[in-house]
């Protein structure tokens, strides 16, 4: 764990793609509860829903089914537009973005999720530029008048633009995408999308892929067909389960010991990020993820199965809740078979490299890992002897010098865990470290979790997963940055606790 310089690092193309994908997903993720509510209302109250099935009145119209149309047509796109506008220009941007989004919603015959994702941020950005024109030039007493009328007039103009310009273009684009998906399904090629989705996931683009692309497209398809296979392309927990099972049985050292706990968090909790470090530790394991993903998609294509609404998080519980009764067999088989295939492929890879891994100096051996860490720290540590965490990469251990209170000028009082969405994995890591700090009897230190895009320099220390650290350094250049492979139980946490305890003394 090393202190970084105050100059932000260039992240390259990968970081740029992550940032764009994160922005898309951050428009949808805060509103995912609304998607789930819509999915539950649809599943329960439509004519062939659960209510009529239990009551034995299949096909009967239920009054509450009237909520389904307005929610998907107006509520969900407007929530997305408002969130996108807020990301760009705060509350003012959210209001103007919502006004502008009404133009694309009314101007189209399909739910305008993509249109809302365009108009919300675009309108907020235009409002921000307009405000700069007369910033500091308005006479005292006229600020509210100018601000309200400028936002209202600009919102009206952008709503008109959306109605006549953006809505037809997005409708045409949505039609092309839908035809593309239908074509892939008809010719049996849809499983090939796993060649792109699975590698993208382990590079922490999972939220961007799912919430930024598949959820909007799948929601439109679900309104027309009652379900969508797109909701399962990324959210299927089977591939990750198979890989973790392979590590639990055929892995070595700390990877093997931590895999059972990771299975519970990934499969039941739905936090898929937990298995990404396992794949990244041996990149050839991406073949196991791809094989499992393709198997799951193929199974759903054969059975014609899908979900009524997004399963978020990607927990088996959330998946089953959103599964129509007619798709239950196909969905369950897709999870089981994808897990089985990814397990077999991962097991073969792990067995083939097991001897080489064991012979490699210290790899997978807890005692050796502890010895290397203590050597890097320059002193022995009682807490390291009890580590039950994932092995850190050997090349990073060469950089680990152990932060001490003399190495950090700023006292650490505000610790932030940051992940792509600021919800699942970072919340888990924050809870783990918060409990460690509490057990150490340390007071006056806050530990919170945030999305990377909301980071600022108010944080004293930022903890991120390794692949996301370059983005975090750009957002909070003056903070200390700590990279970990696994938010669940990293040895870096004990060093942070030691640092904070020494500073408090």
């Amino acid at each position: 764990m090393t202190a970084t310089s105050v100059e932000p690092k260039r992240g390259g193309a990968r970081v740029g793609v992550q940032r764009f994908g994160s922005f898309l997903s951050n428009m949808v993720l805060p509103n995912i509860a609304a998607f789930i509510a819509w999915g539950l209302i649809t599943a329960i109250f439509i004519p062939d829903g659960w209510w009529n099935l239990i009551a034995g009145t299949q096909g009967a119209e239920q009054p509450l089914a009237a909520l389904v149309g307005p929610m998907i047509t107006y509520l969900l796109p407007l929530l997305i537009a408002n969130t996108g506008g807020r990301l760009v220009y705060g509350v003012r941007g959210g209001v103007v973005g919502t006004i502008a989004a009404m133009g694309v919603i009314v101007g189209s015959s399909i739910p305008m999720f993509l249109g809302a994702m365009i108009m919300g941020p675009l309108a907020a950005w235009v409002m921000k530029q307009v405000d700069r024109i007369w910033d500091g030039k308005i006479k005292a007493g006229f600020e509210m008048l100018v601000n309200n009328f400028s936002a209202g007039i600009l919102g009206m103009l952008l709503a008109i633009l959306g109605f006549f310009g953006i809505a037809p273009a997005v409708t045409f684009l949505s039609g092309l995408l839908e035809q593309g998906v239908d074509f892939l399904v008809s010719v049996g090629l849809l499983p090939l999308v796993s060649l792109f989705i699975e590698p993208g996931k382990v590079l922490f683009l999972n939220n961007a892929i799912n919430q930024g692309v598949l959820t909007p497209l799948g929601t439109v398809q679900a309104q027309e067909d009652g379900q969508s296979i797109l909701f399962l392309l990324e959210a299927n927990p089977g591939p990750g389960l198979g890989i973790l099972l392979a590590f639990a049985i055929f892995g070595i050292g700390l990877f093997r010991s931590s895999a059972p706990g990771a299975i519970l968090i990934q499969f039941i909790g739905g936090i898929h990020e937990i298995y990404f470090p396992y794949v990244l530790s041996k990149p050839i394991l991406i073949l196991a993820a791809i094989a499992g993903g393709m198997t799951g998609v193929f199974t759903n294509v054969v059975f014609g199965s899908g979900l009524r609404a997004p399963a978020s998080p990607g927990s088996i519980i959330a998946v089953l809740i959103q599964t129509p009764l007619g798709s239950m067999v196909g969905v369950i088989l897709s999870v089981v078979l994808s897990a089985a295939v990814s397990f077999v492929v991962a097991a073969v890879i792990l067995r083939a490299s097991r001897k080489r891994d064991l012979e490699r100096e210290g790899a997978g051996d807890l005692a050796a890992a502890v010895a290397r860490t203590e050597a890097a720290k320059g002193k022995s540590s009682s807490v390291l002897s009890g580590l039950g965490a994932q092995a850190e990469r050997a090349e990073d251990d060469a950089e680990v010098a152990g932060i001490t209170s003399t190495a950090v000028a700023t006292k650490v009082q505000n610790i932030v865990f940051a992940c792509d969405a600021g919800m699942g994995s970072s919340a888990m890591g924050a809870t783990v470290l918060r409990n460690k700090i509490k057990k150490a009897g340390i007071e006056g230190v806050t530990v919170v979790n945030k999305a990377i895009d909301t980071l600022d320099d108010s944080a004293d220390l930022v903890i991120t997963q390794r692949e996301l650290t370059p983005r975090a350094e750009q957002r909070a250049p003056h903070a200390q940055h700590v990279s970990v492979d696994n938010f669940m139980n990293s040895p870096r946490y004990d060093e942070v606790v030691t640092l904070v305890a020494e500073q408090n003394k």
Side-chain angles (χ1 to χ4, degrees):
M1 183 168 61
T2 56
T4 62
S5 63
V6 298
E7 292 297 327
K9 298 179 180 179
R10 294 185 179 273
R14 178 172 59 87
V15 172
V17 172
Q18 285 181 341
R19 291 181 64 184
F20 177 71
S22 177
F23 183 81
L24 293 179
S25 64
N26 284 341
M27 281 191 276
V28 179
L29 271 175
N31 303 305
I32 204 68
F35 280 85
I36 293 174
W38 171 78
L40 292 175
I41 291 172
T42 302
I44 295 172
F45 296 112
I46 60 175
D48 59 344
W50 299 341
W51 186 280
N52 285 334
L53 180 66
I54 295 174
T57 57
Q58 286 87 340
E61 290 288 342
Q62 295 294 331
L64 289 175
L67 288 170
V68 175
M71 287 183 71
I72 192 174
T73 302
Y74 299 104
L75 175 64
L76 299 181
L78 289 177
L79 284 173
I80 290 174
N82 184 269
T83 304
R86 283 173 174 262
L87 289 173
V88 175
Y89 197 34
V91 175
R92 186 168 172 82
V95 172
V96 177
T98 304
I99 298 170
M102 277 300 298
V104 295
I105 292 171
V106 178
S108 176
S109 58
I110 63 173
M112 268 289 103
F113 294 101
L114 293 179
M117 295 174 79
I118 294 172
M119 290 305 295
L122 175 63
W125 181 82
V126 173
M127 185 74 259
K128 188 175 183 178
Q129 307 312 310
V130 170
D131 282 348
R132 286 178 175 176
I133 296 175
W134 46 69
D135 184 30
K137 301 176 183 178
I138 304 174
K139 292 185 179 181
F142 289 89
E143 293 88 353
M144 183 176 291
L145 180 67
V146 173
N147 288 339
N148 286 341
F149 270 88
S150 62
I153 294 171
L154 181 62
M156 177 193 69
L157 295 175
L158 291 174
I160 295 172
L161 172 65
F163 184 92
F164 289 107
I166 305 298
V170 174
T171 301
F172 177 74
L173 176 61
S174 297
L176 287 180
L177 293 174
E178 186 176 355
Q179 290 175 11
V181 172
D182 292 340
F183 171 76
L184 292 175
V185 172
S186 65
V187 298
L189 295 178
L190 190 62
L192 294 181
V193 300
S194 295
L195 292 171
F196 306 98
I197 289 178
E198 297 302 330
K201 286 176 64 176
V202 299
L203 292 177
F204 295 90
L205 295 173
N206 54 314
N207 288 318
I209 293 170
N210 196 15
Q211 277 76 34
V213 179
L214 298 178
T215 292
L217 294 177
T219 304
V220 175
Q221 191 178 71
Q223 185 196 29
E224 299 174 352
D225 304 330
Q227 64 181 31
S228 176
I229 193 176
L230 300 181
F231 293 136
L232 283 168
L233 296 186
E234 187 275 339
N236 185 349
L241 172 64
I243 291 173
L244 292 174
L245 280 173
F247 269 99
I249 298 174
F250 301 107
I252 58 177
L254 297 172
F255 283 98
R256 181 176 182 175
S257 64
S258 64
I263 288 173
L264 183 65
I265 292 172
Q266 188 266 346
F267 194 63
I268 305 299
I271 301 176
H272 289 203
E273 290 93 336
I274 196 71
Y275 81 86
F276 299 169
Y278 292 80
V279 177
L280 292 172
S281 70
K282 194 179 292 292
I284 194 174
L285 285 172
I286 194 63
L287 296 178
I290 292 173
M294 293 178 68
T295 301
V297 176
F298 178 75
T299 303
N300 284 313
V301 170
V302 171
F303 283 84
S305 50
L307 303 185
R308 280 200 170 106
S312 184
S315 160
I316 185 61
I317 298 173
V319 168
L320 294 179
I321 288 176
Q322 297 295 0
T323 303
L325 293 177
S327 292
M328 194 65 71
V329 173
V331 169
I332 293 176
L333 277 177
S334 73
V335 175
V336 173
L337 293 179
S338 63
V341 170
S342 64
F343 169 78
V344 170
V345 177
V348 170
I349 294 173
L350 291 175
R351 288 289 295 173
S353 61
R354 183 180 179 87
K355 182 178 180 181
R356 182 174 65 253
D357 290 341
L358 289 172
E359 290 175 350
R360 186 181 303 153
E361 182 181 359
D365 183 74
L366 178 58
V370 170
R372 290 198 311 275
T373 305
E374 290 180 340
K377 287 172 64 67
K379 61 179 181 179
S380 61
S381 171
S382 59
V383 294
L384 287 177
S385 62
L387 282 178
Q390 178 181 345
E392 298 291 329
R393 296 178 183 175
E395 62 268 24
D396 290 321
D397 286 329
E399 299 176 1
V400 174
I403 290 183
T404 63
S405 58
T406 58
V408 182
T410 304
K411 185 176 181 179
V412 176
Q413 294 179 308
N414 183 17
I415 301 174
V416 177
F417 277 77
C419 69
D420 189 52
M423 296 181 181
S425 56
S426 61
M428 178 179 63
T431 300
V432 172
L433 182 59
R434 195 180 296 118
N435 289 338
K436 285 180 175 289
I437 290 177
K438 183 177 180 181
K439 289 180 180 179
I442 300 172
E443 298 181 353
V445 177
T446 61
V447 182
V448 299
N449 53 287
K450 291 183 177 181
I452 285 183
D453 287 341
T454 64
L455 280 176
D456 53 41
D457 264 348
S458 63
D460 300 319
L461 189 143
V462 178
I463 302 176
T464 52
Q465 285 166 313
R466 190 179 313 278
E467 295 293 319
L468 301 179
T469 300
R471 287 173 58 197
E473 290 173 338
Q474 291 178 349
R475 301 294 302 185
H478 295 89
Q480 302 297 324
H481 288 268
V482 177
S483 298
V484 300
D485 278 332
N486 191 340
F487 270 147
M488 184 172 67
N489 47 11
S490 172
R492 303 285 82 81
Y493 296 164
D494 293 302
E495 295 182 17
V496 172
V497 172
T498 301
L499 162 67
V500 176
E502 289 178 355
Q503 289 185 336
N504 278 9
K505 291 179 182 179

